[in-house]
Structure formats: structure tokens, C-alpha cells
Amino acid sequence: METLYHQTNKQIQEVQSYMGHLETSDKQSVHLVENEIQARLDKIFSNLERLEILSSKEPPNKRQNAKLRVDQLKYDVQHLQTALRNFQHRRYAREQQEKQREELLARTFTTNDSDTTIPIDETLQFNDSLQNAHRGMDDLIGSGTSILQGLRDQRMTLKDTHKKILDVANMLGLSNTVMRLIEKRAFQDKYFMIGGMLLTCVIMFLVVQYLT
């Protein structure tokens, strides 16, 4: 397990280094960098699944520490995955803006016998409003993604904490009453988390309805 753990930790550090190249990559190479990062993340997730299995087979006196180390790796790689998705959202927004700008500049106007006016100001204002709406939506999507990812991380943390508390409780011989209180609290936290996710989705839906 130690060899795979250090190998996975090294891979995470390499991905962090690759993330620094995204902002400086040109249009031709940015897709290659993104694909390379995603491939490395997929490999890391595969290693984490193996590490979870190996940590459960550790001796009882080492098992708790092994699980904590694996959880820390999972937390790090999930944040890297979120950062990659946010970058891809921003890149897509920039590409859409550039495409709209090129289409506007390439537009041709024809004349007729009557006086012709070119509503360029209105077109530019409409384009600016559209770009602002796109930026607002991208920021909202990025924030929503981060919030949902944070809720998922909290859920995993609560789940792991629940398991650890049960393990410690079994070792210490806590009473059944205390155990039921712990399980009830975990059940309530689950509904709080689901409620927060639903509220976030409703807010995003309302913003989309009124911004577009």
C-alpha cells in the first residue's frame, strides 16, 4: 500500500503542476493539456479505489490512519477535478465571445433606394448584454458546481466520520442510546445536505429563467 500511496501522491503533484500550464497554453495546445490532465485524474481515481481496498485490509492498529491518508488524497483530487471543470467553463465562454465578435465583424450590410441606417450601436449593446449574461451564467454555473462539489465533499466527510465514530464507539463500548443519537444526527445532516442542494438548484433555475 505504501508504494501505491506515494505513487498516487506524486501523480497528484504532477497534475497540480499541469494545472499551472492551462492559463498560459495557446488555443492549439490547451485541449491537449486538458486531455492529459483528465487522463491523469482518471488514473488517480483508479488508484484511490485500490487504496481504499488495501486500507481496509491493514492491521487494526494501522487501519484508521491508512483510511485518513486515503481520504486526504481523495479530497485533493476532487478539488483538482473541480478546478479543471471551472477552467473549461471559462474557456468555453471566451471562445463563444470571440466567435460572436468575429460574426459581428464579418456581417455585411446592403443598401437600397431609401435611406439606410445601420443599427450598429444597438447591435453592440445587444452583444454586450449577451456577453454579460453569458459571463453571469458561467460564474453562476462555476459557483453552483463548487457548491455542489462542496456538499458532496461534506457528505463524504460526514459518512466517513460516521463510520469512524461507530468504529471508535464499538472499541470503547458506548451504550446503545448514544449510538442511536449519533445515527439520528447523521440522518438529520443528510436531509440538511439534500435541502441545500435542492435550494441551490432552484436558485440556479430562477436565475436562468430571469437572465435569459
Side-chain angles (χ1 to χ4, degrees), residues 68-91:
L68 290 175
R69 295 169 69 192
V70 174
D71 289 342
Q72 182 60 48
L73 292 180
K74 290 171 59 178
Y75 179 81
D76 293 339
V77 73
Q78 285 170 352
H79 274 273
L80 289 174
Q81 183 72 72
T82 301
L84 176 61
R85 288 174 181 170
N86 288 339
F87 174 83
Q88 290 172 331
H89 282 305
R90 293 194 303 270
R91 178 180 57 76

Side-chain angles (χ1 to χ4, degrees), residues 82 85-90 92-93 133-149 152 200 203-205 207-208 211-212:
T82 301
R85 288 174 181 170
N86 288 339
F87 174 83
Q88 290 172 331
H89 282 305
R90 293 194 303 270
Y92 177 76
H134 276 299
R135 284 194 293 269
M137 286 301 303
D138 290 330
D139 293 340
L140 181 61
I141 291 173
S143 299
T145 302
S146 299
I147 292 172
L148 291 176
Q149 185 62 46
R152 284 194 290 267
T200 302
I203 293 174
M204 292 177 63
F205 174 78
V207 172
V208 170
L211 283 182
T212 55

Side-chain angles (χ1 to χ4, degrees), residues 147-189:
I147 292 172
L148 291 176
Q149 185 62 46
L151 290 172
R152 284 194 290 267
D153 293 342
Q154 291 178 11
R155 179 177 178 274
M156 292 299 299
T157 302
L158 289 172
K159 185 177 179 181
D160 293 338
T161 303
H162 183 215
K163 290 181 179 178
K164 294 169 187 174
I165 291 176
L166 291 177
D167 292 339
V168 174
N170 289 332
M171 293 174 61
L172 297 178
L174 293 179
S175 66
N176 292 332
T177 301
V178 176
M179 294 292 293
R180 284 195 296 270
L181 290 175
I182 293 173
E183 292 179 354
K184 181 179 179 181
R185 178 58 184 272
F187 185 75
Q188 292 174 346
D189 290 342

Side-chain angles (χ1 to χ4, degrees), residues 104-105 119-131:
L104 180 63
L105 294 175
I120 190 67
D121 291 337
E122 295 180 1
T123 303
L124 288 174
Q125 290 177 0
F126 176 77
N127 186 59
D128 290 339
S129 300
L130 188 61
Q131 291 179 2

